[in-house]
Amino acid sequence: MWIRLFLVVLLSGALWAEVSTQQEVALGRSAAQKIEGQYGIDNSPDLNRRLQTIGQALSRVAGRNDIQFQFKVLASDEFNAMALPGGFVYATRSLMRGMSDGEIAFVLGHELSHVVQRHSIRQMENSWRVWWIRCSTVASVRQMSPRPTDWERP
């Protein structure tokens, strides 16, 4: 029975599947649309120029040449920044107004590292693997459990 469980897990294509760069960008784009719809975009030329200058300089040396990073200022008074899969990077209006260029570079460097290291994508891939292992285990346990004979049924 354990061999069967091992084979189910080993042969499951979804268990070992990895998210492609194209899929990563599509996931990020979908999340970006939701974020932008929720917060709105601040189109202030000065804030956007600053963000683009710092962000593009960092992205050139980030080590992910397979995606095009996009930097936008969110119309939010929260003091925050975030990066989504596929290179969608945001800084809030409040963060842009409240930090020096060096501080913004530090924050953006941190956010870019999430994209470069594919943290969200790896977390998603690992959750799929755990789900497949759980499903396979449950299926095997059900197969191995004794079934009541006719005389044991009410």
Side-chain angles (χ1 to χ4, degrees):
M1 292 299 169
W2 291 109
I3 293 173
R4 190 177 303 160
L5 171 63
F6 176 75
L7 289 174
V8 167
V9 171
L10 182 65
L11 297 177
S12 173
L15 180 62
W16 306 114
E18 291 189 9
V19 175
S20 70
T21 299
Q22 183 179 3
Q23 292 168 321
E24 176 186 2
V25 172
L27 287 166
R29 184 175 294 112
S30 176
Q33 290 171 348
K34 291 176 185 170
I35 293 294
E36 291 175 20
Q38 181 179 348
Y39 292 99
I41 297 298
D42 185 322
N43 291 314
S44 167
D46 291 341
L47 296 181
N48 279 282
R49 190 175 317 111
R50 245 176 105 207
L51 180 63
Q52 292 301 321
T53 300
I54 298 167
Q56 292 302 331
L58 291 171
S59 69
R60 283 192 290 273
V61 295
R64 278 294 301 268
N65 298 326
D66 58 333
I67 60 173
Q68 182 177 0
F69 285 92
Q70 297 179 37
F71 299 91
K72 294 184 181 178
V73 178
L74 292 176
S76 172
D77 292 325
E78 295 176 24
F79 204 76
N80 203 2
M82 71 178 81
L84 301 173
F88 299 87
V89 183
Y90 298 95
T92 62
R93 170 179 49 218
S94 181
L95 183 126
M96 294 299 298
R97 289 180 178 159
M99 296 183 109
S100 69
D101 287 0
E103 291 168 325
I104 292 170
F106 181 84
V107 170
L108 290 180
H110 172 85
E111 296 304 328
L112 289 179
S113 73
H114 289 301
V115 177
V116 170
Q117 297 296 317
R118 302 183 84 211
H119 289 156
S120 296
I121 298 302
R122 285 203 175 106
Q123 185 176 17
M124 185 174 55
E125 289 170 344
N126 288 335
S127 69
W128 288 344
R129 290 180 183 114
V130 168
W131 182 82
W132 273 105
I133 290 169
R134 286 181 181 163
C135 288
S136 300
T137 302
V138 168
S140 292
V141 168
R142 284 187 179 160
Q143 274 189 328
M144 294 185 320
S145 64
R147 296 189 176 22
T149 60
D150 287 337
W151 59 270
E152 291 175 313
R153 292 187 186 139

